[in-house]
Amino acid sequence: MKDTLNPRFSGDPPIVVHNLENKFGDFAVHQDLSLEVREGEILGVVGGSGTGKSVLMRSIIGLQTPTDGDISVFGRKITGIDPDQDLGVRCRWGVMFQGGALFSTLTVGENVEVPLKQFYPEIEPQLRREIARHKVLLSGLPEDAIAKYPSELSGGMKKRAGLARALALDPELLFLDEPTAGLDPIGAAAFDHLTKQLKETLGLTVFLITHDLDTLYEICDRVAVLADKQVVAVGTIPELIATGHPWIKDYFNGPRGRAALATHDRGELEAGR
């Protein structure tokens, strides 16, 4: 049953993609691609290079116009709609692009304020700065990072600043594009822990594009696999391996996949002691 008092529990799947097609000239990246994201899950999205993981994300958030198919977010169709039209859904998601995609001429705090200015221009500057400060701290950055420019940040700090901006509007749906790419193992594990913690404490649904097998094992509830221009399988990692799809077998049963599984199993054993 729908909870009409709390939009975070609408009863509708946060994302439904049906028969999506994306073409660039004569080249089709996606054909008849369908996917449903469940409320409250961390969905990992994987696939080989050129399978269109980022294109899929950009289609969902309205930065890429599909050639065909339908996309609904929070029960509202967004395909075929003017991108500038207020559907009441764009303020309900946050996006962390690969590498952070911060505005280089703005401080971290000012970067976080950008979506607040866009969607809630009536907020007083002092309150807007306080909200930005809270989001920066929530992302795990020190308070002095608020006044720094992107050029003054490490790669890991840029990612957390991008995360802070993605959280600016208290979103229900969070998109993360390769959040641990380029991080050392300790930094990647810390970001994974933060993502899971935010998901649980804020009630987020997370759409997470990644190549990081450790991330898939540690925090993803399900994984969607892009291959052959479609989503060829969605499920837990054991369910995916059981499909017998060649790419899935190679991906999860290769040396890195076995190492990630061993690390995960070791962590599970230690946690049970």
Side-chain angles (χ1 to χ4, degrees), residues 2-250:
K2 294 186 179 183
D3 183 347
T4 57
L5 298 179
N6 189 346
R8 288 183 182 270
F9 300 98
S10 65
D12 294 309
I15 302 171
V16 177
V17 181
H18 182 65
N19 291 342
L20 185 71
E21 180 179 283
N22 274 305
K23 281 187 175 182
F24 296 94
D26 294 330
F27 178 71
V29 178
H30 302 138
Q31 282 186 330
D32 295 325
L33 183 154
S34 296
L35 176 67
E36 184 174 302
V37 180
R38 297 172 181 170
E39 189 172 60
E41 74 173 344
I42 298 179
L43 179 74
V45 180
V46 302
S49 298
T51 54
K53 299 179 293 296
S54 294
V55 173
L56 174 58
M57 186 191 83
R58 290 172 61 86
S59 297
I60 296 170
I61 63 176
L63 296 181
Q64 168 72 33
T65 302
T67 309
D68 201 1
D70 294 313
I71 300 173
S72 295
V73 180
F74 300 120
R76 299 189 182 185
K77 181 179 176 181
I78 64 168
T79 41
I81 305 297
D82 186 339
D84 294 327
Q85 184 176 343
D86 181 13
L87 299 176
V89 296
R90 292 188 173 90
C91 62
R92 295 172 65 183
W93 69 53
V95 185
M96 194 198 90
F97 294 97
Q98 190 171 355
L102 301 171
F103 297 106
S104 61
T105 57
L106 302 180
T107 65
V108 169
E110 290 168 343
N111 265 279
V112 178
E113 288 184 46
V114 168
L116 293 168
K117 290 179 178 179
Q118 178 183 357
F119 287 97
Y120 300 103
E122 71 278 5
I123 293 179
E124 294 293 329
Q126 183 176 351
L127 177 57
R128 192 170 59 236
R129 287 192 293 271
E130 184 57 31
I131 293 173
R133 173 183 172 276
H134 172 67
K135 302 304 180 182
V136 168
L137 296 176
L138 189 64
S139 73
L141 286 171
E143 188 163 5
D144 63 4
I146 296 171
K148 291 184 177 181
Y149 288 90
S151 61
E152 301 174 284
L153 304 177
S154 67
M157 292 177 74
K158 288 179 182 177
K159 288 179 180 290
R160 288 179 182 265
L163 176 62
R165 186 175 62 189
L167 295 172
L169 300 176
D170 292 330
E172 302 157 57
L173 178 58
L174 181 63
F175 294 89
L176 303 177
D177 191 357
E178 298 284 5
T180 60
L183 298 182
D184 62 78
I186 295 175
F191 202 100
D192 285 344
H193 176 74
L194 175 63
T195 301
K196 187 172 184 179
Q197 187 178 50
L198 291 171
K199 175 251 186 181
E200 293 173 349
T201 57
L202 303 179
L204 298 171
T205 299
V206 183
F207 183 100
L208 190 157
I209 298 172
T210 186
H211 285 100
D212 194 328
L213 282 152
D214 289 325
T215 297
L216 296 175
Y217 274 105
E218 291 301 318
I219 68 170
C220 291
D221 298 295
R222 294 191 304 152
V223 179
V225 180
L226 270 63
D228 308 322
K229 303 178 183 179
Q230 300 177 335
V231 174
V232 295
V234 186
T236 64
I237 293 175
E239 290 171 344
L240 295 179
I241 295 173
T243 66
H245 189 280
W247 189 89
I248 294 174
K249 288 175 63 178
D250 290 345

